[in-house]
Amino acid sequence: MFTYVPLLWSVYLSFFDAHNTVSPHRFVGLDNYTSMLRDRAFTDSLGTFGLFALFIVPATYALSLALALMVNRLRYLQAFFRSVFFLPAACSYVVAAMIWKLSIFNGVRFGLANTVLGWFGADQTAWLSTTHPPWYWLVIVTVRLWLQAGFYMVLFLAGLQRIPAQLYEAAAVDGARPGWQVFRYITFPQLRATSVAVALLLVINAFQAFDEFYNLLSDSRGYPPYARPPLVYLYNIALGRGQNLGEGSAGAVILALIIAVVTVVQARWFGLGRRED
Amino acid sequence: MEKALLGFGRAVRLVLLVVLALLFLIPFYLLVRNGLSTEQDITSPDWTFFPSHLRWSNVGELFDDPAVPMARSLLNSGLIAVTTTVGTVLLASLAGYGLARIPYRYANQVFYAVLGTLMVPAAVTFVPSFVLVSSLGWISTMRGLIVPTIFSAFACFIFRQYFLGFPGELEDAAKVDGLGYWRTYWRIVVPNSKPVFAAVSTIVFIGAWNSFLWPLVIGQDKSAWTVQVALSTFTTAQVVNIHELFVAAAVSILPLLLVFLLLQRHIVAGIERSGIDD
């Protein structure tokens, strides 16, 4: 109810001129759409986001799968390691962004990363404010990896525990070498259903990226022009100084359409829904 | 030879795990270290692993700071998180049960519509949702903060998958005894599904406690701030009391860590049995 009604309202609102008001009066047709699509800042934000998703989804996938494989083989301390990797899931993006921004990747005088690099004689880096090279990507990506990997590791662990032991015994009889071969021909195919679920959830979560971008990069002067995901940009347009709710809605509709297309393509690709009768 | 190789592989794996575990724990350590340090200890160019002394008075200062209503924000977050959790679990479990068990023509279509809201994330709809809430006059009210967030497609999805795998015999027995869907649900299904309820409750609670975009948009008055919004005003403020900020962050995750450590086993078991990957 609170998704579809606003979505429809958003479509309706996107055809109107709605500055500072929630009751639009002037019909402007597709003007909001054309002005959004011509807006470099908006298209750039879509690009930024695409790059982010393209990187964060496989990276989180690989890290959480690797963690699950390693933890699953442990005979002792399995619960301990699982807890350690799972614990960041309790942390909010706001808190994590603070630790990253003010304690690890602080660029000015202090900060763990610069201290450690200093031991090796490296110069200090202003992690979040240099755009060439774009070190802020490292900050943004590591926050999300830290926060998410443990949760998906648990999903993979659940999948691993469901693989019947006979399969491994049969593989051993057939002479499959433990390690890569077993993983390639037994473990990975058996994890297919889990993999699909994890990939979908990761993409959905990447689409929602807002909290850490907002908290890492904005300060009292506002948000810098680089590294803007679409949600941050829409937030600025709709609720910032302009309060342009019409254009904001148009942007939201464009974004929703893109997400819908990507999701459908992805679902087809993975064959999701085939088993639903 | 083979055995030595396997042993070597195991050692490498263990070392890797320990290193990764330390990396994962460092941010928590920094949070506590900085929260109990003086401002000089945090911002000193000669960074040390341990602060020069532990400064517990940071906690008191935080709650006395008039600029950030920390106690009020904690209270708001608690109220929102508890209400959202109870409401969501109730609605999502009933919806999930209905979708899994009650046969009617459009059950699958409804299920895809619900899944669709998961794919088109609610965050995309924050602009129109904001419009909706503000035209109801709910800006900066608890209603505005809670009501729109009270259903979760993800929770509904987990419940549906779980109930699909629920043994039908138990329900059949209830049916023979003359119980309808409603009473079967409350008397037979719910008492036998505790792990999944525990898991979903925790996930929803954490999500509600940690959510940021919606409270930022709706909670415009200081009186309606949540902990996360209060924290973020620290990071975007011109003058930052950095030690206060860290102690605030530590205080904000304390309730969750407690819930987490107490319920961890159930969360993991619940996720594992939820059938999310089936």
Side-chain angles (χ1 to χ4, degrees):
Chain A
M1 201 48 68
F2 271 93
T3 307
Y4 284 109
V5 171
L7 201 63
L8 291 178
W9 196 325
S10 186
V11 174
Y12 170 77
L13 206 63
S14 65
F15 294 116
F16 287 87
D17 174 28
H19 276 82
N20 285 314
T21 174
V22 295
S23 47
H25 40 290
R26 203 164 66 80
F27 184 78
V28 294
L30 289 171
D31 280 6
N32 285 326
Y33 285 91
T34 48
S35 72
M36 278 309 271
L37 286 173
R38 262 197 226 120
D39 183 353
R40 268 299 295 278
F42 181 66
T43 47
D44 278 358
S45 80
L46 290 177
T48 303
F49 161 72
L51 202 64
F52 174 69
L54 222 56
F55 192 81
I56 196 71
V57 173
T60 317
Y61 179 93
L63 178 64
S64 49
L65 180 58
L67 287 177
L69 288 171
M70 287 196 288
V71 170
N72 193 43
R73 299 259 304 267
L74 284 176
R75 249 174 285 165
Y76 310 103
L77 292 174
Q78 202 189 58
F80 169 76
F81 279 108
R82 197 186 57 200
S83 309
V84 167
F85 296 130
F86 194 42
L87 215 51
C91 212
S92 76
Y93 278 98
V94 181
V95 170
M98 258 168 59
I99 303 173
W100 255 248
K101 180 183 186 175
L102 295 169
S103 196
I104 300 179
F105 289 107
N106 197 299
V108 199
R109 296 154 292 165
F110 49 95
L112 191 62
N114 277 337
T115 306
V116 172
L117 287 175
W119 296 340
F120 299 101
D123 288 339
Q124 297 205 341
T125 307
W127 298 98
L128 286 164
S129 47
T130 36
T131 46
H132 297 286
W135 286 117
Y136 56 84
W137 278 111
L138 184 71
V139 186
I140 287 166
V141 165
T142 47
V143 171
R144 198 162 260 257
L145 273 178
W146 181 71
L147 280 167
Q148 287 196 333
F151 182 76
Y152 295 102
M153 174 200 69
V154 171
L155 295 189
F156 276 125
L157 274 174
L160 284 172
Q161 271 150 26
R162 251 195 292 264
I163 301 176
Q166 295 97 296
L167 276 178
Y168 288 107
E169 287 157 18
V173 171
D174 288 345
R177 290 224 311 279
W180 175 246
Q181 279 194 343
V182 168
F183 175 74
R184 170 79 182 72
Y185 293 105
I186 310 281
T187 313
F188 193 66
Q190 288 285 316
L191 280 177
R192 194 173 168 281
T194 313
S195 289
V196 173
V198 168
L200 269 176
L201 288 173
L202 279 173
V203 171
I204 291 165
N205 277 340
F207 281 128
Q208 312 240 27
F210 175 84
D211 300 9
E212 81 268 42
F213 281 87
Y214 181 89
N215 282 295
L216 279 172
L217 288 158
S218 68
D219 55 23
S220 55
R221 284 161 309 189
Y223 204 92
Y226 55 91
R228 240 182 207 166
L231 272 180
V232 172
Y233 188 62
L234 291 181
Y235 175 84
N236 279 333
I237 290 233
L239 305 175
R241 247 170 274 138
Q243 290 248 336
N244 192 337
L245 293 166
E247 280 194 1
S249 299
V253 172
I254 295 171
L255 188 57
L257 281 177
I258 294 174
I259 294 174
V261 169
V262 171
T263 311
V264 168
V265 168
Q266 196 192 13
R268 278 280 148 81
W269 190 38
F270 284 129
L272 189 85
R274 240 182 251 157
R275 266 180 308 160
E276 308 284 345
D277 42 16
Chain B
M1 178 64 195
E2 187 114 308
K3 223 171 195 167
L5 214 63
L6 278 179
F8 180 68
R10 193 171 297 145
V12 169
R13 205 169 62 227
L14 203 63
V15 170
L16 201 61
L17 271 174
V18 170
V19 170
L20 280 168
L22 285 177
L23 282 178
F24 267 68
L25 287 175
I26 281 177
F28 287 110
Y29 172 72
L30 289 174
L31 186 62
V32 176
R33 178 210 180 266
N34 291 348
L36 298 177
S37 297
T38 57
E39 198 159 343
Q40 288 75 28
D41 270 339
I42 303 173
T43 55
S44 155
D46 306 309
W47 194 85
T48 51
F49 194 73
F50 292 106
S52 57
H53 67 282
L54 294 181
R55 195 162 180 275
W56 290 97
S57 55
N58 283 351
V59 183
E61 273 176 37
L62 170 70
F63 285 99
D64 288 337
D65 187 344
V68 181
M70 199 60 195
R72 181 68 193 263
S73 306
L74 279 167
L75 203 69
N76 286 344
S77 282
L79 186 70
I80 291 169
V82 169
T83 325
T84 308
T85 307
V86 172
T88 303
V89 168
L90 206 68
L91 288 176
S93 70
L94 281 170
Y97 184 70
L99 287 170
R101 277 293 189 266
I102 303 176
Y104 61 102
R105 264 180 69 194
Y106 298 107
N108 268 335
Q109 279 80 346
V110 172
F111 175 63
Y112 284 126
V114 171
L115 260 192
T117 70
L118 193 75
M119 309 289 174
V120 180
V124 170
T125 60
F126 82 86
V127 175
S129 299
F130 169 79
V131 173
L132 188 70
V133 166
S134 77
S135 57
L136 289 169
W138 286 4
I139 298 288
S140 290
T141 64
M142 284 296 123
R143 266 175 308 183
L145 284 159
I146 293 170
V147 175
T149 62
I150 215 146
F151 186 75
S152 148
F154 180 64
C156 176
F157 173 65
I158 289 189
F159 276 119
R160 175 188 179 261
Q161 299 302 93
Y162 177 83
F163 290 139
L164 280 179
F166 191 81
E169 298 86 45
L170 271 174
E171 288 166 280
D172 291 340
K175 228 167 261 169
V176 171
D177 289 346
L179 267 66
Y181 283 121
W182 185 249
R183 283 195 293 174
T184 310
Y185 177 75
W186 287 111
R187 296 214 192 140
I188 311 291
V189 179
V190 175
N192 284 299
S193 311
K194 278 180 195 150
V196 75
F197 275 88
V200 175
S201 307
T202 332
I203 293 174
V204 174
F205 186 86
I206 292 169
W209 182 273
N210 284 343
S211 74
F212 176 62
L213 177 57
W214 188 246
L216 179 72
V217 170
I218 298 300
Q220 298 184 341
D221 283 355
K222 257 186 190 181
S223 63
W225 278 0
T226 65
V227 177
Q228 310 300 337
V229 176
L231 282 175
S232 98
T233 60
F234 271 121
T235 56
T236 50
Q238 234 137 17
V239 188
V240 182
N241 286 322
I242 198 163
H243 58 294
E244 227 178 73
L245 188 156
F246 276 104
V247 81
V251 166
S252 83
I253 65 167
L254 214 57
L256 282 193
L257 284 186
L258 283 179
V259 170
F260 231 57
L261 291 175
L262 289 176
L263 294 177
Q264 210 233 111
R265 223 157 31 87
H266 299 285
I267 307 170
V268 173
I271 293 174
E272 284 176 358
R273 267 190 264 171
S274 67
I276 185 177
D277 45 359
D278 278 326

